Amino acid sequence: MNKLIKSLPLIAVFFATSALAEGDLSRADPKEIIIEMGTEQGVMYFKPEHIELQTGTAYKIVLRNMDDEKHEFAGPELVGKVYSRKVEVTSLDGKMIAEVKGTVSEIEVGPMRQVEWYIVPIQTGNNIPIICDIDDHNDRGMNGTITIK
Ligand SMILES: [Cu+2]
């Protein structure tokens, strides 16, 4: 009995270590979700305007600006609910220009450009608002929601 109790912490360490190796989300292959930003007949949009994510799953959110003006992807409420792995800026032929690491609350994307945002949602939330905070873009329809399950 005494022997078993003494060996328990060792067993726990073993399981914790193996679980960590399998669930290393900083290296996981992310699921790709493309969000287009643009204007259609005067109405501005995020397409799709709603996405659903799962906690503990790695995502690559591709923010693609289809417009000839800059747009922004801002979600102050989203910040605390996702772990930002990195933001990657690439040239049009896919070569890396910059990789930014750390917490992200908004991303501005230049005309006809795209940015890849690598995240892992860590907290659930229903219809978390996302907006473009540039000029009157939010009023013109550039907003959406994200649900994390
Ligand atoms: Cu905008």
Side-chain angles (χ1 to χ4, degrees):
M1 182 65 187
N2 206 8
K3 221 173 183 182
L4 178 67
I5 290 172
K6 274 186 188 159
S7 62
L8 272 179
L10 260 181
I11 294 168
V13 166
F14 170 75
F15 280 111
T17 312
S18 63
L20 200 68
E22 261 183 283
D24 186 351
L25 293 167
S26 66
R27 287 157 209 264
D29 252 354
K31 284 187 184 169
E32 185 180 273
I33 295 179
I34 297 169
I35 299 179
E36 290 184 353
M37 314 152 108
T39 311
E40 225 166 46
Q41 292 163 338
V43 178
M44 291 180 161
Y45 64 81
F46 288 133
K47 231 186 246 177
E49 59 180 8
H50 179 79
I51 59 171
E52 296 215 346
L53 307 173
Q54 297 276 340
T55 54
T57 301
Y59 293 93
K60 171 169 123 181
I61 309 286
V62 180
L63 300 171
R64 191 171 285 170
N65 187 351
M66 316 295 289
D67 235 336
D68 51 12
E69 63 180 298
K70 67 178 180 180
H71 288 297
E72 187 183 274
F73 186 88
E77 218 185 290
L78 187 67
V79 179
K81 295 183 181 296
V82 300
Y83 162 65
S84 274
R85 292 168 63 194
K86 61 177 176 179
V87 174
E88 226 173 76
V89 185
T90 57
S91 61
L92 290 178
D93 58 359
K95 290 191 179 118
M96 189 185 71
I97 294 171
E99 203 174 271
V100 182
K101 290 177 175 152
T103 310
V104 173
S105 64
E106 51 182 74
I107 298 174
E108 226 170 76
V109 187
M112 306 304 288
R113 293 285 186 266
Q114 77 171 34
V115 164
E116 293 165 358
W117 185 30
Y118 290 75
I119 58 164
V120 179
I122 51 171
Q123 205 177 74
T124 58
N126 251 337
N127 295 318
I128 303 156
I130 299 299
I131 62 161
C132 174
D133 217 8
I134 295 171
D135 301 332
D136 60 349
H137 293 193
N138 184 22
D139 292 337
R140 291 173 65 186
M142 199 159 214
N143 47 62
T145 49
I146 293 181
T147 289
I148 303 172
K149 290 190 168 166

